[in-house]
Amino acid sequence: YVAVRSTGAEHRGGELRVLGDEEPDSIDPALAYSLTSWSILLMTNDGLVAFRKVAGVEGTQLVPDLSVALPSPTDGGKTYTFELRRNLTYSNGKPVRPDDFRRAIERVFELGSITPLYAGIVGASGCRTGARCDLARGIVADRAARTVTFRLTTPDADFLSKLALPFAFAVPSDTGRREVERPLPATGPYRVASYQKRATSGSRSSSAARRVTKGVFACRIAGGSATRVRSRSRLRSAIAPKAWFA
């Protein structure tokens, strides 16, 4: 694995061909867990914080993404307050709101995903798979101030790292509690233009039940024009890097 830094000046529209050696398990940030799925979501979506996209140990460093800065915890390590960057929008032109980050984590509980990661958020103990999850007490969104505040029941030294995972990426606040199979609006330099998932048939092995996915992606880099690029399975990935705020 090799990571390359870029200023973004080299890419203004054009074509990007994405080739993968396995199918994504989901394009829903609340459920996606495979390396292929995360590779896609890290190109198309963003959270409040992110890991630097560089090789080596520096790649473990957290940096602000959709937030202005990394916050210092208060209240004995149980409260984190983020200020969002100005004029954030999704690929459909709609604004990114503080409550979108709350909705992202509520869906993790509603869909029964990796819930232990965020079990320390105030109110999370009352959330159940398949039922409406309300984290308004634990994730306080203030649209006027462009802030989102996380309140924990106990200190968690790894909490910022957990917010850098795709599970915590912003999703529109009206996103439902079922797995999405149509692409959600993106915040990154790429967006998924279309996505199809279907079951295989005719296999003699137990792998007959596994799902096969085919994707067509649209590339939008540094404000350039969007072009469609097709992904194919069983081939290596060739991915243009994103310019990160580092």
Side-chain angles (χ1 to χ4, degrees), residues 13 21 28 46 57 59 73 78 98 128 130 142 159 162 220-221 236:
D21 56 6
D28 190 324
D46 297 277
V57 68
K78 295 188 293 183
R128 299 289 183 271
D142 187 330
F159 188 67
K162 296 174 182 178
R220 181 182 298 163
I221 304 175
R236 292 288 177 185

Side-chain angles (χ1 to χ4, degrees), residues 37-57:
S37 295
W38 280 20
S39 295
I40 294 170
L41 292 173
L42 288 169
M43 291 191 295
T44 60
N45 296 75
D46 297 277
L48 291 163
V49 299
F51 293 104
R52 290 186 64 190
K53 292 295 181 287
V54 295
V57 68

Side-chain angles (χ1 to χ4, degrees), residues 102-110 132-136:
R102 179 172 64 216
R103 185 67 192 129
I105 296 181
E106 288 174 341
R107 295 185 72 250
V108 171
F109 288 93
E110 292 172 353
R132 181 73 172 92
C133 175
D134 185 359
L135 294 177

Side-chain angles (χ1 to χ4, degrees), residues 16-19 24 27 36 40-41 43-44 183 190-195 214-220 226-232:
L16 171 69
R17 186 175 297 276
V18 181
L19 306 174
I27 58 167
T36 300
I40 294 170
L41 292 173
M43 291 191 295
T44 60
Y190 303 89
R191 65 180 179 89
V192 178
S194 63
Y195 175 77
K214 295 181 179 180
V216 179
F217 304 92
C219 169
R220 181 182 298 163
T227 56
R228 299 172 69 82
V229 293
R230 186 173 301 276
S231 73
R232 295 180 294 179

Side-chain angles (χ1 to χ4, degrees), residues 24-32 37 41 44-45 103-104 107-108 110-111 166 169-186 192 194-197 211 213:
D25 58 354
S26 177
I27 58 167
D28 190 324
L31 292 173
S37 295
L41 292 173
T44 60
N45 296 75
R103 185 67 192 129
R107 295 185 72 250
V108 171
E110 292 172 353
L111 293 169
F169 286 177
V171 299
S173 59
D174 59 353
T175 306
R177 58 174 183 260
R178 295 184 178 181
E179 178 181 4
V180 297
E181 295 189 3
R182 292 185 177 182
L184 289 170
V192 178
S194 63
Y195 175 77
Q196 181 181 359
K197 181 165 58 179
R211 295 178 296 182
T213 58

